Amino acid sequence: MEQSKKLSAGILRNDRLMADGRTIRYYDTSGQNRSAKDARPVEKQPAIGELRLDPLVNEWIAMASHRQGRIFLPPKELCPLCPTTGELLTEIPESDFEVVVFDNRSPSLRPPTGDWALPDQVGPDTDLGSAAGKCEVICFTAEHGNAFKDLTPARVRVLLEAWIDRTAELSQESFIEHIAPFENRGEEIGVTLTHPHGQIYAYSYIPPRVEKMLAAANKYKTSTGKVLFDEVVAREIRDEERIIARNDRWIAFVPYAARYPFEIHVAPLNPVADLTGLTDQDRDAFAPIALEVMKRLDGVFGIDMAYIAAWHQAPVRVGRDVLRLHWQITSVRRAPGKLKYLAGSESAMGAFIMDMRPEQSAAQLREVVL
Amino acid sequence: MEQSKKLSAGILRNDRLMADGRTIRYYDTSGQNRSAKDARPVEKQPAIGELRLDPLVNEWIAMASHRQGRIFLPPKELCPLCPTTGELLTEIPESDFEVVVFDNRSPSLRPPTGDWALPDQVGPDTDLGSAAGKCEVICFTAEHGNAFKDLTPARVRVLLEAWIDRTAELSQESFIEHIAPFENRGEEIGVTLTHPHGQIYAYSYIPPRVEKMLAAANKYKTSTGKVLFDEVVAREIRDEERIIARNDRWIAFVPYAARYPFEIHVAPLNPVADLTGLTDQDRDAFAPIALEVMKRLDGVFGIDMAYIAAWHQAPVRVGRDVLRLHWQITSVRRAPGKLKYLAGSESAMGAFIMDMRPEQSAAQLREVVL
């Protein structure tokens, strides 16, 4: 549906339909007119994926074999995330944009047709269901060569508002249980498009790691009456040596039991369940710490660090009082020319071995001159 | 302690002490004399690692910062896993060997001094304990340039006996809860030594993935009275289309909900809890199917496939009647020049997306002409 909507901080959202029926949402600060048409020929929609249960661990695996042929590291002239020009029709019909969110062209998960529910009972014979959910792409800037750390604070504010807006809207869908906005950066971790962008995965099931966080948080609440993540932050503040940045509203630290060489958790000091709970003050204070953290990360070795930056939120319907919003940034780079790999112990057994003490990486991050 | 021990199938184990006090165990078929001394100067033992609890998911992380400087892809002339020659003193003092197992020089986990136990109650303030456990290296052959698939069936029989022997002996240690022999192959997954070898990790805790398998298996046993893995194998036999190899005693299949482009599970048809439960017939029938599977894997693209091959066993003290021995081989290679990466969805959320249908990879594996 084509529509407009006013968000916080004077940000306006304009929705437009793409040629193949997908929606693109422009998040703007200056009331831009967004009327450019998507002039590309309509392509056949990719096949719908499947969800299969791995019964050995009771985890859902999304089968998305239609993604095998997707575009791989195109040159700048063919980047589908740049604005449309006379020479190239891209995913974004306009000739410029601030932040846009559009439905993924080859989604791993997609909205179901009709009613949809996971089976209550599962086992080795559980049959496949269609892979319900939603996958969206979020572009941070029209500047192809920039990175998150090059964004202006004002742009990070728009980006945050877009994440909040998507969380709020996707939470309304009956088939969505969990929403995870994340950014993958770096060819080392498999990024296929270098234009600064992230993804929003809205799952029809609680993802396994969130399920485990939920179990730990519930157990802690039951035995102590307290919220686990709040105690974790309290411990980091008390220990102090792993804190790398803070301001009035946010704190950033390397966690006590980090599992990656450079891992940073960023959390609001006034805890909330998800992005929609952030106050205006929290929202305004995010950009400075987010930019500082990303600059420190690239500053450690003076190179573009590969990372995954993922928002952890409470699921849509459960755990709202025990799970807390935070942003986890993990980098597999342990030294220039050396990566941390997930081999036998991590991959097969799930048991992480860390080659670097968290206090050491925190010190290296703090020592970066900005 | 220097000693000799007779194992099945005429295999003899000879233990010798290395210069720094570590033990090396020779597994031989021809009664070789193993008296060569380790003539290297004694080096300082690396520092002991720590175990830290990640309270958000209640998982132990082994901190092994002393491993940061370990040897990285040395040339053949400096390979520490080749036999010792006049020019180079290696980890193996003898000038030739069949299969050897020695204590890892930079172990992530090591035997505790004195009594040791994990705390019963854990939380965000759980203090660090020393990283108890044991890490061993197992060399499959003295031939530097070979791979697992190049071993003779007789050599695979010795290798299997060594895995069985290590499982039996390590199971006797009071501080060990789970034993995982695995092989990492390929620089793509971070292998630092190309000489054909594996590792044996003996954990003082149940690794997270095993804990999850245990929970799923216990739940299934309670609700159905059956053993989950046996039902999984029954389903694969019934479906047939994902089976890639079988003989009288073993079966190999791509699991229904594989999470890697090429994933193969190899299981004995007469289920057992761990390697020590295999009968002589099972042991003798393993080499043909193991070699066939590894040849099929390399045959798919005609290249050396990077893989992790890990033995899943029941833990030492729990789940003995609900968990089953099997060998999981996973490869991140989805096409020549393309890898499967664990990015935002897999790494941050634990939610796997698979780019290839298991039936497709099973067909590709079956079509390889051996």
Side-chain angles (χ1 to χ4, degrees):
Chain A
M1 194 172 66
E2 308 216 327
Q3 61 175 7
S4 293
K5 188 178 169 189
K6 279 189 183 155
L7 307 173
S8 321
I11 296 162
L12 188 69
R13 166 180 151 190
N14 276 297
D15 294 8
R16 293 292 172 262
L17 285 176
M18 300 165 82
D20 58 8
R22 288 180 288 145
T23 298
I24 181 166
R25 302 155 197 90
Y26 295 89
Y27 294 86
D28 290 315
T29 55
S30 309
Q32 293 94 324
N33 172 28
R34 299 304 189 183
S35 56
K37 293 272 178 222
D38 182 358
R40 296 173 297 177
V42 176
E43 291 192 3
K44 197 166 158 280
Q45 289 283 304
I48 297 176
E50 308 164 11
L51 272 192
R52 293 191 179 187
L53 186 80
D54 176 353
L56 298 183
V57 286
N58 273 344
E59 294 179 4
W60 294 101
I61 313 291
M63 298 281 160
S65 49
H66 55 279
R67 286 164 52 82
Q68 181 77 298
R70 66 189 187 276
I71 192 165
F72 183 71
L73 291 176
K76 182 186 179 329
E77 312 83 69
L78 295 175
C79 175
L81 307 186
C82 277
T84 285
T85 63
E87 289 77 47
L88 182 71
L89 305 179
T90 72
E91 291 282 72
I92 302 105
E94 293 285 343
S95 61
D96 195 17
F97 63 85
E98 296 188 24
V99 169
V100 292
V101 177
F102 54 88
D103 304 338
N104 195 312
R105 190 179 183 179
S106 301
S108 306
L109 310 168
R110 66 169 61 197
T113 51
D115 287 342
W116 193 89
L118 287 178
D120 284 338
Q121 294 290 327
V122 294
D125 281 313
T126 300
D127 229 15
L128 52 92
S130 66
K134 195 156 191 294
C135 295
E136 300 180 344
V137 176
I138 178 165
C139 291
F140 302 166
T141 168
E143 296 298 326
H144 181 86
N146 278 2
F148 185 108
K149 75 170 193 293
D150 304 316
L151 302 176
T152 62
R155 177 59 55 84
V156 175
R157 180 68 186 82
V158 181
L159 177 57
L160 178 63
E161 199 64 27
W163 280 327
I164 293 167
D165 175 63
R166 297 315 302 144
T167 299
E169 190 164 287
L170 290 164
S171 294
Q172 302 301 313
E173 299 284 0
S174 62
F175 61 94
I176 287 175
E177 299 294 337
H178 189 78
I179 299 155
F182 61 84
E183 179 196 1
N184 299 326
R185 181 207 199 191
E187 291 174 40
E188 300 95 314
I189 57 154
V191 166
T192 55
L193 296 172
T194 59
H195 193 111
H197 76 288
Q199 301 187 60
I200 299 167
Y201 266 52
Y203 300 92
S204 52
Y205 51 96
I206 314 272
R209 188 142 185 271
V210 179
E211 197 172 53
K212 197 149 189 197
M213 292 171 110
L214 181 60
N218 275 331
K219 190 177 168 197
Y220 192 76
K221 185 72 180 283
T222 303
S223 66
T224 68
K226 295 179 187 169
V227 174
L228 178 59
F229 192 81
D230 299 348
E231 298 302 302
V232 167
V233 172
R235 186 222 164 112
E236 294 297 348
I237 291 174
R238 210 162 50 238
D239 284 2
E240 207 178 335
E241 58 180 337
R242 288 176 302 275
I243 296 174
I244 63 157
R246 69 182 293 177
N247 63 25
D248 281 356
R249 318 291 306 180
W250 295 82
I251 188 164
F253 55 87
V254 177
Y256 168 72
R259 54 187 72 203
Y260 292 92
F262 289 90
E263 175 169 348
I264 304 167
H265 293 188
V266 182
L269 290 167
N270 291 313
V272 294
D274 67 19
L275 284 160
T276 66
L278 293 173
T279 64
D280 284 345
Q281 284 172 302
D282 295 333
R283 298 178 192 200
D284 292 340
F286 174 69
I289 198 163
L291 291 167
E292 177 179 344
V293 159
M294 289 303 192
K295 285 172 187 169
R296 290 194 179 280
L297 197 56
D298 274 10
V300 169
F301 300 123
I303 56 176
D304 291 352
M305 289 283 263
Y307 63 74
I308 296 165
W311 283 104
H312 277 270
Q313 316 202 69
V316 176
R317 286 177 192 81
V318 295
R320 307 285 301 173
D321 56 339
V322 295
L323 287 179
R324 300 298 201 204
L325 173 74
H326 63 288
W327 198 39
Q328 290 194 358
I329 304 160
T330 54
S331 175
V332 293
R333 172 76 52 201
R334 59 188 176 96
K338 285 189 185 175
L339 300 181
K340 153 108 192 135
Y341 292 92
L342 304 190
S345 187
E346 288 87 358
S347 182
M349 297 295 139
F352 274 68
I353 311 294
M354 242 287 271
D355 290 329
M356 185 181 265
R357 296 186 76 230
E359 292 74 21
Q360 183 192 337
S361 59
Q364 285 184 259
L365 286 160
R366 273 196 308 267
E367 284 158 13
V368 171
V369 179
L370 296 179
Chain B
M1 192 172 67
E2 307 215 330
Q3 61 176 7
S4 293
K5 188 178 168 189
K6 278 187 185 158
L7 307 173
S8 322
I11 296 162
L12 188 70
R13 167 181 151 189
N14 275 298
D15 294 9
R16 293 291 172 263
L17 286 176
M18 300 165 83
D20 57 9
R22 287 182 288 144
T23 299
I24 181 166
R25 303 155 197 89
Y26 295 88
Y27 294 85
D28 291 314
T29 55
S30 309
Q32 293 94 325
N33 172 26
R34 298 305 189 182
S35 57
K37 292 274 177 221
D38 181 358
R40 297 173 297 176
V42 177
E43 290 193 3
K44 195 165 158 284
Q45 289 283 303
I48 297 175
E50 308 165 12
L51 272 191
R52 292 191 180 188
L53 186 81
D54 176 353
L56 298 182
V57 285
N58 273 345
E59 295 178 4
W60 294 101
I61 313 292
M63 298 281 160
S65 49
H66 55 279
R67 286 165 52 82
Q68 183 71 300
R70 67 190 186 277
I71 193 165
F72 182 71
L73 291 175
K76 182 187 178 328
E77 312 83 69
L78 295 175
C79 175
L81 306 186
C82 277
T84 285
T85 62
E87 289 76 47
L88 182 71
L89 304 178
T90 73
E91 291 283 72
I92 302 106
E94 293 284 342
S95 61
D96 195 17
F97 63 86
E98 296 187 26
V99 170
V100 293
V101 177
F102 54 87
D103 304 339
N104 194 312
R105 190 179 183 179
S106 301
S108 306
L109 311 168
R110 65 168 61 197
T113 50
D115 287 342
W116 193 89
L118 287 178
D120 284 337
Q121 295 290 327
V122 294
D125 280 314
T126 300
D127 229 16
L128 53 94
S130 65
K134 196 156 191 294
C135 294
E136 299 179 345
V137 176
I138 178 165
C139 291
F140 302 166
T141 168
E143 295 297 326
H144 181 85
N146 279 2
F148 185 107
K149 75 169 192 294
D150 304 316
L151 302 176
T152 63
R155 176 58 55 85
V156 175
R157 181 68 186 82
V158 181
L159 177 57
L160 178 63
E161 198 64 27
W163 280 327
I164 294 167
D165 175 64
R166 297 314 303 144
T167 299
E169 190 165 287
L170 290 164
S171 294
Q172 302 302 314
E173 299 283 1
S174 62
F175 61 94
I176 287 175
E177 298 295 337
H178 189 77
I179 299 156
F182 62 83
E183 179 194 2
N184 299 326
R185 182 208 199 190
E187 291 175 39
E188 300 95 316
I189 57 154
V191 165
T192 54
L193 296 172
T194 58
H195 193 111
H197 75 288
Q199 301 187 58
I200 300 167
Y201 266 53
Y203 299 92
S204 52
Y205 50 98
I206 313 272
R209 189 143 184 271
V210 179
E211 197 171 54
K212 198 150 188 194
M213 293 171 110
L214 181 60
N218 275 331
K219 191 177 167 195
Y220 192 76
K221 185 71 180 284
T222 303
S223 66
T224 68
K226 295 178 187 170
V227 174
L228 178 59
F229 193 81
D230 298 348
E231 298 301 302
V232 167
V233 172
R235 185 222 165 115
E236 294 297 347
I237 290 174
R238 209 160 53 238
D239 285 1
E240 207 179 336
E241 58 180 338
R242 289 176 302 275
I243 297 174
I244 62 157
R246 69 181 294 176
N247 63 26
D248 282 356
R249 319 290 307 179
W250 295 81
I251 188 164
F253 56 87
V254 177
Y256 168 72
R259 54 187 75 203
Y260 292 91
F262 289 90
E263 175 168 348
I264 304 167
H265 292 188
V266 182
L269 290 167
N270 291 314
V272 294
D274 67 19
L275 285 160
T276 66
L278 294 174
T279 64
D280 284 345
Q281 284 170 303
D282 294 333
R283 297 178 192 201
D284 292 341
F286 175 69
I289 199 163
L291 291 167
E292 177 178 344
V293 159
M294 289 303 192
K295 284 172 187 169
R296 290 196 178 280
L297 197 56
D298 274 10
V300 169
F301 300 123
I303 56 176
D304 292 351
M305 289 282 262
Y307 63 74
I308 296 166
W311 284 102
H312 278 270
Q313 317 201 68
V316 175
R317 286 176 193 83
V318 296
R320 306 285 302 173
D321 56 339
V322 294
L323 287 178
R324 300 298 202 205
L325 174 74
H326 63 288
W327 198 39
Q328 289 194 0
I329 303 160
T330 54
S331 174
V332 292
R333 170 78 51 200
R334 60 188 176 95
K338 285 188 183 176
L339 300 181
K340 155 111 191 130
Y341 292 92
L342 305 189
S345 188
E346 288 87 358
S347 182
M349 296 296 139
F352 273 68
I353 312 294
M354 242 288 269
D355 291 329
M356 184 180 265
R357 295 186 77 231
E359 292 74 23
Q360 183 193 337
S361 59
Q364 285 183 259
L365 286 160
R366 274 195 307 268
E367 283 158 14
V368 171
V369 179
L370 296 180

